[in-house]
Structures are given as C-alpha cells and as structure tokens.
C-alpha cells in the first residue's frame, strides 16, 4: 500500500527508534520522497498500522516541495526503483508493478498540472493509461482510480484549451493594435 501511494503525513508518524536503525535511517541523497522510502523499508521489516484519526493539518503554499514537480518525480522514481530492486514486493508480481507505474504517472501528472505545466501533465497522464489501460479489470487498480485518471485527463485538456484561447485572444488583440 505504501509503495502504491503514501497515505499519511510524515509529521504524524510515531515509530520506535530501533525501526529507523533497522531500516538504515533516511536516505540523505533524496531531496524529496525520503520519508516514503523510509516507510517502505520499515514496512518490509515491521508491521505498520494506519490510524484513521486526523493528526496533522497540512498547509499548502508556493514554496512547498511539491511545487518542484521535476524533483518530486525524479525522487519518487528513485524510491520506487529501490523498492523494486530490494524486493519489497516480488518482481514476479508484474501486475502490481504495472499498477504502481500507473499510479506514479497519475500522481506526477497531477503535480505538473498543479504547477501550471499541462503538457508534461498530459504526457504522464497518457503514460498512466498505457501502464494500466482502462480495459483491464478495474478491481485490480480500483474503479475510483480509473475515474480519477480520466478526470485528470479532462482537467489537463481543459487547461490546454484555456491556454490556447488566451493565446488566441492575445494574438487578436496584438494584431488589432498594429
């Protein structure tokens, strides 16, 4: 579950110091996703429990780490590759790893869209759909994820249409002035 998508904030984690030592502490080479990497490594050695209680409030602002989509994508990819290579889940479970790719590219598409970059968002949304096409059984990835991916593609296309209309209006206004 953590490999597919981190579902908790690092600020809300309570863990024994020994769990960090066993897992090898945080990877200081990662500039983001270092917490997800740590949770994956801890979960391969120890039981992890998720509480439903809301423990932290996240404040979003322009300087959030998620504002750097390229760095986030790079470090998420490194984290997932490490999990694959270290056998967190068997390499033979290829359907699982395809699902991981689909969710990864969907997440990065959302990050690019959130930073005002619809073209890379569209590329990653397409990669998500290629990794796990809509015709594959939805119970394997979850019908909600299918709907979210389609909604993301629609949001990207709407944003591209808006950008194109703004450019067209700018060209019309500019040519009228001349």
């Amino acid at each position: 579950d953590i490999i597919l998508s981190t579902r908790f904030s690092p600020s809300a984690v309570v863990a024994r110091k020994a769990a960090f030592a066993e897992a090898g502490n945080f990877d200081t080479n990662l500039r983001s996703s270092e917490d997800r990497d740590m949770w994956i490594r801890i979960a391969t050695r120890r039981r992890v429990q998720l509480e439903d209680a809301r423990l932290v409030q996240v404040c979003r602002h322009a300087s959030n780490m998620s504002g750097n989509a390229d760095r986030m994508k790079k470090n998420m990819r490194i984290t997932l590759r490490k999990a694959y290579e270290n056998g967190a889940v068997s390499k033979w479970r290829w359907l699982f790893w395809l699902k991981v790719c689909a969710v990864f590219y969907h997440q990065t598409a959302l990050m690019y869209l959130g930073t005002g970059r619809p073209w890379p968002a569209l590329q990653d949304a397409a990669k998500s759909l290629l990794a796990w096409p809509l015709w594959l059984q939805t119970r394997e990835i979850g019908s909600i994820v299918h709907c979210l991916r389609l909604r993301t593609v629609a949001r990207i296309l709407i944003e591209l249409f808006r950008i194109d209309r703004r450019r067209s209006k700018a060209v019309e206004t500019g040519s009228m002035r001349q």
Side-chain angles (χ1 to χ4, degrees):
D1 199 35
I2 298 170
I3 293 172
L4 275 172
S5 177
T6 303
R7 299 194 188 330
F8 52 87
S9 170
S11 302
V13 172
V14 177
R16 287 185 163 79
K17 185 177 179 180
F20 287 99
E22 286 173 17
N25 295 316
F26 285 99
D27 184 345
T28 57
N29 293 319
L30 294 172
R31 304 311 318 154
S32 61
S33 296
E34 70 283 351
D35 54 330
R36 186 177 184 184
D37 174 60
M38 174 58 77
W39 313 143
I40 291 169
R41 288 185 285 123
I42 287 175
T44 61
R45 293 166 175 79
R46 291 177 172 251
R47 187 167 177 228
V48 175
Q49 183 175 340
L50 183 63
E51 291 290 328
D52 285 337
R54 184 174 266 183
L55 302 173
V56 296
Q57 184 174 351
V58 177
C59 180
R60 303 262 184 229
H61 49 80
S63 62
N64 274 46
M65 204 178 299
S66 59
N68 188 333
D70 292 325
R71 180 179 65 192
M72 290 292 294
K73 181 178 178 178
K74 174 187 169 199
N75 287 295
M76 286 170 64
R77 180 180 282 129
I78 291 168
T79 296
L80 294 174
R81 185 173 289 132
K82 284 174 62 174
Y84 177 80
E85 290 170 357
N86 293 333
V89 171
S90 171
K91 293 177 183 179
W92 296 104
R93 292 193 50 203
W94 59 275
L95 282 177
F96 171 80
W97 290 107
L98 282 176
K99 186 178 2 176
V100 169
C101 286
V103 172
F104 164 73
Y105 282 116
H106 178 245
Q107 290 172 331
T108 58
L110 288 172
M111 284 188 289
Y112 281 123
L113 186 60
T115 58
R117 297 172 61 195
W119 285 110
L122 186 59
Q123 288 175 329
D124 282 1
K127 289 176 186 177
S128 174
L129 293 172
L130 287 172
W132 198 273
L134 295 174
W135 51 264
L136 286 174
Q137 294 179 348
T138 58
R139 66 184 163 84
E140 292 293 333
I141 194 170
S143 57
I144 292 173
V145 175
H146 269 343
C147 292
L148 290 175
R149 292 187 309 150
L150 288 174
R151 190 174 78 185
T152 298
V153 170
R155 285 177 54 202
I156 293 166
L157 293 174
I158 289 168
E159 183 61 25
L160 287 169
F161 179 73
R162 284 183 184 151
I163 290 170
D164 188 51
R165 286 191 62 200
R166 279 185 247 143
R167 284 185 185 149
S168 296
K169 284 183 180 180
V171 168
E172 287 173 16
T173 307
S175 63
M176 291 176 150
R177 289 182 184 166
Q178 293 174 359

